[in-house]
């Protein structure tokens, strides 16, 4: 018998063959094989979707804020801009049928009036510019009772760059005596410098808790299906050992198999995220008044890159790690160490971390609510 | 070749309190077919597993071509299984996800052979065992007899020196059993592979050159009567 050591090139080829074999085992393994792959892919996919969504929250809120600042009416007299005829403007908030909406009353002082974003002509007296959602509401039977409050001639629509969300009810209306009304200011431009919204601890906490709540069932699902699949996998790997795969090869084959599951899971995850992104504009959650533009739902690309790399790597590492405790022998699985007692402190980590997070934010919570009350947008 | 190809001596093996082998031993010479007979639970399968190096006896020695198996690393024993040994069990040794062709090509692929060559060799062996028609089917989609013939093709595709067959016809009716045995023995003789054939059916043992009887973990080599 000859024990030839593989030369690097042959070894590389063998690695490749082993990985391909693992991939082959993951796909096209009959109905049961496809079912297993589908379970893995859905589990990983849901996880990826939740992560992508979580990384999108920050940008989404920031984009809404930015557009809010860009159309803000200055509350004090602004510096003179040569060649611009200033306008008198004041913010007005109102409700209709339990729906809050707001708008700006304006009075021009000349033809070169400044323009807020998303508006191509500021209304003269007796004219109004509406957001698409408000216009639709006024045209619908539901808007019957609202119509008398907007007798003005509609001369334009506010486009998305001037709205925080697609369902926002917003207007600019030309009124004769803004100068004398409350809260008005004379201004040469719309908008205030945008504040970078650094996500404060409380918001991060909410995002983290939300993600964990969404990921929990996913984790349970993945763990269950993995455990169910493990027995079949061990049998399969034992059959490979019998025909002469060594321990290393079996690990590589298992890695190839896990890699495919993670990869398909990534595709499913990105697909579900894209689907969610397409559905988002049709929703009108009360917490985010005016709804969400699809364009605002944009994950942080560095985190996306991280997810795209980490998920398959993690899948492979977990697959290989799970084989460390068991020796796949040609006749079946042999446990290397007797089953360790499950350590309690592991299970205590999530609740303790949760309580710590809550405690660290508790003080800010009350402070925040007080601030919210005085903050109008 | 001077000595036996495979030689086991004084094998003891117990699973917990149950002794499975109690001083068993046997030798296998190149190219011969040896039937291992004995009642159920007597230790036949355990003996075969020890001979093939997939089970380590508690004590005793198994040497292949003069090399002590227990002295070999896992990698070396794996290579032995891949290149020098072939296995046919009662059922369940084929990989259910792979087609018959892929199953037969498997040991060659695990040895680094290119797919095209490996599948060509596999096709030839499937033809030889009269199962070329199920090349594209997975084990679950073939009959028991076809599956066993695919398993025989896989055991022989690497042209091993020893084929370990544990009740290869145990799950088949007599007609299919005969066919598998005929093809197995003919192919083994053609490639000068020795066969360790575990069975408790006299009709199957009739294909052997000599017999080893195992009883309560002890073995008796029955010498050839000319
Ligand atoms: N993995 C195992 N764990 C525990 N006991 C085992 C194991 N394998 C075999 N045994 C026991 O060892 C003894 C010999 O078993 P073995 O499988 O070698 O018998 P056998 O002659 O092949 O029987 P059969 O003809 O039924 O296949 C039996 O008592 C059996 O119960
Ligand atoms: Mg047996």
């Amino acid at each position: 018998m000859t024990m030839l050591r593989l030369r690097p090139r042959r070894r590389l080829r063998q690695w490749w063959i082993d990985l391909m074999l693992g991939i082959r085992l993951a796909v096209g393994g009959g109905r049961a094989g496809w079912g297993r792959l589908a379970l893995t892919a859905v589990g990983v996919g849901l996880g990826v979707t939740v992560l992508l969504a979580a990384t999108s929250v920050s940008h989404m809120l920031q984009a809404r804020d930015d557009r809010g600042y860009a159309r803000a009416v200055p509350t004090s007299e602004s510096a003179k801009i040569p060649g611009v005829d200033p306008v008198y403007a004041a913010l007005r908030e109102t409700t209709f049928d339990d729906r809050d909406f707001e708008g700006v009353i304006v009075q021009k002082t000349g033809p070169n009036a400044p323009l807020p974003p998303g508006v191509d002509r500021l209304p003269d007296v007796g004219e109004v510019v509406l957001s698409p959602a408000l216009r639709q509401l006024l045209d619908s039977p539901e808007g019957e009772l609202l119509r008398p409050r907007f007798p003005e001639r509609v001369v334009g629509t506010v486009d998305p760059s001037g709205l925080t969300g697609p369902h926002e009810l917003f207007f600019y209306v030309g009124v004769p005596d803004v100068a004398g009304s409350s809260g008005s200011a004379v201004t040469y431009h719309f908008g205030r410098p945008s504040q970078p919204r650094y996500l404060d601890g409380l918001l991060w906490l909410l995002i983290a808790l939300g993600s964990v709540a969404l990921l929990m069932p996913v984790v349970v699902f993945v763990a269950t299906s993995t455990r169910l699949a493990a027995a079949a996998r061990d049998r399969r790997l034992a059959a490979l050992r019998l025909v002469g795969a060594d321990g290393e090869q079996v690990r590589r084959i298992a890695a190839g198999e896990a890699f495919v599951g993670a990869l398909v899971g990534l595709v499913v995850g990105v697909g579900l995220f894209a689907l969610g992104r397409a559905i988002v504009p049709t929703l009108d959650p009360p917490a985010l008044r005016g709804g969400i533009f699809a364009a605002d739902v944009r994950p942080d690309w560095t985190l996306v890159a991280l997810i795209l790399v980490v998920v398959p790597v993690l899948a492979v590492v977990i697959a290989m790690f799970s084989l460390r405790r068991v020796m796949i022998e040609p006749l079946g699985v042999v446990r290397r160490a007797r089953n360790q007692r499950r350590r309690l402190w592991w299970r205590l980590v999530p609740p303790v971390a949760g309580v710590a997070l809550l405690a660290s934010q508790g003080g800010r919570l009350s402070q925040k609510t007080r601030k919210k009350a005085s903050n109008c947008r | 070749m001077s000595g036996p190809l495979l030689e086991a001596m004084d094998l003891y093996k117990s699973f917990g309190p149950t002794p499975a082998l109690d001083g068993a031993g046997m030798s296998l010479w190149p190219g011969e077919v040896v039937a291992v007979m004995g009642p159920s639970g007597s230790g036949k399968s355990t003996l075969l597993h020890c001979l093939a190096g997939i089970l380590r006896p508690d004590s005793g020695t198994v040497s292949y071509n003069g090399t002590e198996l227990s002295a070999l690393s896992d990698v070396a024993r794996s290579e032995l299984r891949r290149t020098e040994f072939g296995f046919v069990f009662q059922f369940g040794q084929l990989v259910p996800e792979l087609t018959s062709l892929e199953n037969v090509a498997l040991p060659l692929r695990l040895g680094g052979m290119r797919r095209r060559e490996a599948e060509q060799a596999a096709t030839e062996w499937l033809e030889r065992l009269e199962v070329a028609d199920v090349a594209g089917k997975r084990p679950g989609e073939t009959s028991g007899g076809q599956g066993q013939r695919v398993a025989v093709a896989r055991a022989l595709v690497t042209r091993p020196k020893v084929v370990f067959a544990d009740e290869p016809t145990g799950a088949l009716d007599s007609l299919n059993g005969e066919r598998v045995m005929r093809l197995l023995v003919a192919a083994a003789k053609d490639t000068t592979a020795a066969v360790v054939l575990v069975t408790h059916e006299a009709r199957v043992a009739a294909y052997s050159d000599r017999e080893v009887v195992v009883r309560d973990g002890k073995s008796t080599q029955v010498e050839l009567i000319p």
Side-chain angles (χ1 to χ4, degrees), chain B residues 130-131 133-134 141-151 172 176:
Chain B
E130 305 167 7
V131 273
D133 50 327
V134 298
E141 302 161 345
T142 63
S143 74
Q146 287 168 335
Q148 285 308 81
R149 279 180 278 145
V150 171
L172 304 180
N176 274 303

Side-chain angles (χ1 to χ4, degrees), chain A residues 64 164-169 281 283-293:
Chain A
R64 292 166 64 87
T164 56
H167 304 293
E168 194 182 27
L169 303 176
L283 309 174
D284 192 0
L288 289 169
R289 206 171 75 197
I292 303 162
F293 286 118

Side-chain angles (χ1 to χ4, degrees), chain A residues 10 13-14 24 28 241, chain B residues 74 81 97 102 111-112 138:
Chain A
R10 258 201 81 191
R13 171 139 60 103
Q14 190 59 60
R24 169 64 188 85
R241 288 281 278 150
Chain B
D74 173 64
R81 286 199 300 279
E97 283 79 7
E102 287 168 318
R138 280 184 282 270

Side-chain angles (χ1 to χ4, degrees), chain A residues 115-335:
Chain A
L115 284 177
V119 173
D120 49 20
R121 190 165 87 76
L122 212 55
D124 287 316
V125 174
E127 292 178 341
V128 68
V129 173
L130 303 171
S131 72
L134 181 52
R135 185 166 206 167
Q136 204 178 1
L137 179 62
L138 285 170
D139 288 345
S140 73
E142 285 168 84
E144 176 82 57
L145 294 173
L146 187 61
R147 244 167 272 153
R149 281 158 73 180
F150 288 94
E152 296 87 357
R153 195 162 63 86
V154 178
V155 294
T157 314
V158 187
D159 76 27
S161 63
L163 298 170
T164 56
H167 304 293
E168 194 182 27
L169 303 176
F170 202 85
F171 60 85
Y172 291 92
V173 60
V175 170
D177 187 25
V178 178
S181 23
S182 71
S184 80
V186 61
T187 186
Y188 287 82
H189 64 89
F190 285 89
R192 269 183 285 154
S194 165
Q195 307 278 326
R197 180 204 269 253
Y198 71 95
L199 286 188
D200 53 63
L202 182 68
L203 196 56
W204 272 123
L205 176 68
L206 287 177
I207 294 174
L209 287 181
S211 305
V212 168
L214 287 170
L215 280 174
M216 225 39 190
V218 175
V219 168
V220 170
F221 174 78
V222 169
T224 315
S225 55
T226 307
R227 199 164 282 193
L228 286 179
R233 185 192 70 173
D234 292 350
R235 241 177 288 129
R236 188 161 62 242
L237 295 180
L240 290 168
R241 288 281 278 150
L242 184 66
V243 270
D246 61 43
E248 280 291 308
Q249 282 186 295
V250 159
R251 257 191 287 277
R252 284 196 290 271
I253 291 167
E257 223 179 320
F259 182 72
V260 175
L263 219 55
V264 180
L266 276 182
V267 172
V268 169
V270 170
L272 282 177
F273 179 72
L275 192 71
R277 200 166 170 270
I279 290 172
V280 147
T282 65
L283 309 174
D284 192 0
L288 289 169
R289 206 171 75 197
I292 303 162
F293 286 118
D296 286 348
V297 182
R298 215 171 63 197
D300 182 325
W301 293 116
T302 49
L303 289 175
V304 170
L306 201 67
I307 290 171
L308 293 185
V309 173
V310 163
V311 167
V313 168
L314 204 65
V316 167
V317 168
I318 289 174
M320 300 190 61
F321 194 79
S322 72
L323 285 180
R324 258 178 40 148
R325 286 208 177 288
V326 299
M327 269 278 271
I328 305 283
E329 285 293 343
L331 294 175
V333 178
V334 177
R335 311 245 154 235

Side-chain angles (χ1 to χ4, degrees), chain A residues 44-107:
Chain A
V44 173
L46 287 174
V48 167
T49 306
V50 170
L51 287 176
L52 288 176
T55 70
S56 306
V57 171
S58 158
H59 177 268
M60 189 263 290
L61 294 176
Q62 184 68 55
R64 292 166 64 87
D65 277 8
D66 286 352
R67 288 192 302 273
Y69 280 113
R71 73 180 182 198
V73 178
T75 44
S76 55
E77 193 167 324
S78 70
K80 219 175 178 131
I81 299 176
V84 173
D85 301 320
V87 294
Y88 290 94
L91 192 68
R92 286 292 179 266
E93 289 177 302
T94 177
T95 57
F96 170 70
D97 201 14
D98 280 352
R99 295 178 70 177
D100 288 329
F101 63 105
E102 53 182 21
V104 180
I105 55 173
V106 291
Q107 182 185 8

Side-chain angles (χ1 to χ4, degrees), chain B residues 30-33 125 128-129 152 155-156 159-165 180-196 207 209:
Chain B
E32 69 171 347
V33 178
W125 274 98
R128 196 154 167 180
L129 284 143
V152 172
L156 287 158
R159 297 186 167 266
K161 297 282 187 299
V162 187
V163 174
F164 294 94
V180 167
M181 281 313 301
R182 212 168 5 85
L183 289 164
L184 168 60
V185 171
K189 292 282 177 199
D190 265 11
T191 57
T192 67
V195 181
V196 178
Y207 286 91
D209 300 320

